[in-house]
Amino acid sequence: MRVAILADIHGNLPACEAVLEDIARSVAPDYIVAAGDLALRGAHPRETVDLLFDRCDSVLMGNTDCYLAGNYLGGAYREKDHWKTELLRWTRDQLGGALLEKLGALPFSARYSPRKGQDLFVCHANPRNLEESLDPTLDDVAVRRFFSHLDAAACAFGHLHFPYRRRVGRMLIADVASAGIPRDGDLRPAYGVFTFTPKGWRVQIRRVRYPVRKATQALTARRVPGGPLLVHKLVEARYRHHNALMEAARRHSGLPPPGPVLRPPPGAASRAAASPMDSRPSPEVDPASLPTDMDGTVTGAAPLPPDALNDFEG
């Protein structure tokens, strides 16, 4: 059994299309799952949600899907005069009543059972709720409290926008996100492929190329509320505590060895050559300097051999 999982798409239609194309061309899974946060923060919420419902076998609920549907609100989306409130209103208008109702009724999780006692559990943030991130810097005690009740051999999730893999006891867990707004220093969309083998579940984190400039230009052209900040976050592609996250993820054998991921934009060559553990802040990136097709990227988007995955065995 092979399950492809994309999460945190956030209305980024060009990225979503690239991921689904790679899944169809190179992965040939038995199931495709969209694990929440489908629409909010992107320029094409309706088109993205329609595509996911059309192409995925399971579509799960994320925290921002709840915000849109009116199930509850979190963070700055509760503040009356915040730009995120305007973004929420704009996105709801784009989706329309029928899709909002559909988002509000999405399931929390999905299970895939290739064999008794070997379930793969898929959710948005963690097996307990939609809001708490499974940060790779968390110690074993903190992580185990999210999984103590879960009867599964593997678990896939997103929410943090930082892909990595880890063991919790005998369970294999992986953050497979983000397909829409990566925050691990790599602009390429990420998604996960879980494959069940005679030795148990294996997972591969895959990256694909996509037209980043098309996504940033759409945020401006469609006058998405908060557009300049959303563009900045999209091309910044990292958190302030990036180095700590990266070090922890590598410690869990969750990421491949350091290597080239993106051709640097003009004027950023000196910074781009720095080590991934460099403590200096990332350079500001001008969206206009991004290539239209990302042909300069180094991508792992090759067909998956059944027995030679870039994986972390579970």
Side-chain angles (χ1 to χ4, degrees), residues 10-11 37-53 64-70 87-104 106 222:
H10 288 287
D37 278 12
L38 312 178
L40 192 62
R41 298 177 72 93
H44 297 95
R46 170 179 280 275
E47 298 89 338
T48 302
V49 171
D50 282 340
L51 180 61
L52 291 168
F53 275 119
T64 62
D65 305 313
C66 282
Y67 304 165
L68 288 167
L87 175 63
L88 193 71
R89 186 180 302 112
W90 181 88
T91 307
R92 284 172 171 167
D93 289 342
Q94 295 292 313
L95 290 168
L99 275 183
L100 289 172
E101 186 175 347
K102 213 170 177 180
L103 290 183
L106 290 174
R222 304 198 73 184

Side-chain angles (χ1 to χ4, degrees), residues 60-278:
L60 307 181
M61 182 175 287
N63 57 303
T64 62
D65 305 313
C66 282
Y67 304 165
L68 288 167
N71 293 2
Y72 74 94
L73 292 175
Y77 293 100
R78 293 175 293 197
E79 299 178 20
K80 184 177 180 180
D81 296 322
H82 200 281
W83 67 267
K84 286 187 176 181
T85 306
E86 245 342 272
L87 175 63
L88 193 71
R89 186 180 302 112
W90 181 88
T91 307
R92 284 172 171 167
D93 289 342
Q94 295 292 313
L95 290 168
L99 275 183
L100 289 172
E101 186 175 347
K102 213 170 177 180
L103 290 183
L106 290 174
F108 177 83
S109 62
R111 278 182 181 266
Y112 296 90
S113 305
R115 198 169 68 197
K116 186 176 180 180
Q118 293 293 325
D119 287 8
L120 167 64
F121 184 89
V122 187
C123 58
H124 175 63
N126 67 73
R128 291 190 178 275
N129 60 63
L130 296 173
E131 295 286 350
E132 292 183 83
S133 297
L134 290 171
D135 190 316
T137 63
L138 293 175
D139 62 30
D140 287 346
V141 173
V143 171
R144 284 176 186 270
R145 72 181 179 88
F146 291 102
F147 296 92
S148 59
H149 69 294
L150 183 62
D151 180 18
C155 180
F157 54 91
H159 191 56
L160 183 62
H161 297 215
F162 196 101
Y164 74 97
R165 296 164 283 194
R166 183 174 183 170
R167 289 184 186 273
V168 179
R170 299 178 66 181
M171 188 186 303
L172 169 65
I173 71 170
D175 187 322
V176 299
S178 166
I181 312 176
R183 301 301 301 278
D184 65 330
D186 188 336
L187 291 179
R188 296 173 301 169
Y191 74 98
V193 179
F194 276 76
T195 303
F196 188 73
T197 75
K199 293 184 178 181
W201 285 102
R202 295 182 172 187
V203 60
Q204 182 192 46
I205 305 296
R206 290 177 65 79
R207 310 301 291 243
V208 299
R209 302 179 297 183
Y210 90 107
V212 179
R213 199 194 302 179
K214 186 176 180 180
T216 60
Q217 288 176 337
L219 287 164
T220 301
R222 304 198 73 184
R223 298 183 179 180
V224 180
L229 182 56
L230 293 173
V231 169
H232 171 76
K233 292 298 182 184
L234 184 63
V235 299
E236 178 188 39
R238 62 175 59 201
Y239 293 106
R240 291 181 181 179
H241 59 306
H242 172 80
N243 294 338
L245 289 169
M246 186 68 74
E247 184 179 0
R250 295 196 189 285
R251 188 171 65 249
H252 299 307
S253 301
L255 291 175
V261 292
L262 262 180
R263 179 171 51 198
S270 60
R271 287 285 183 89
S275 161
M277 293 298 142
D278 198 313

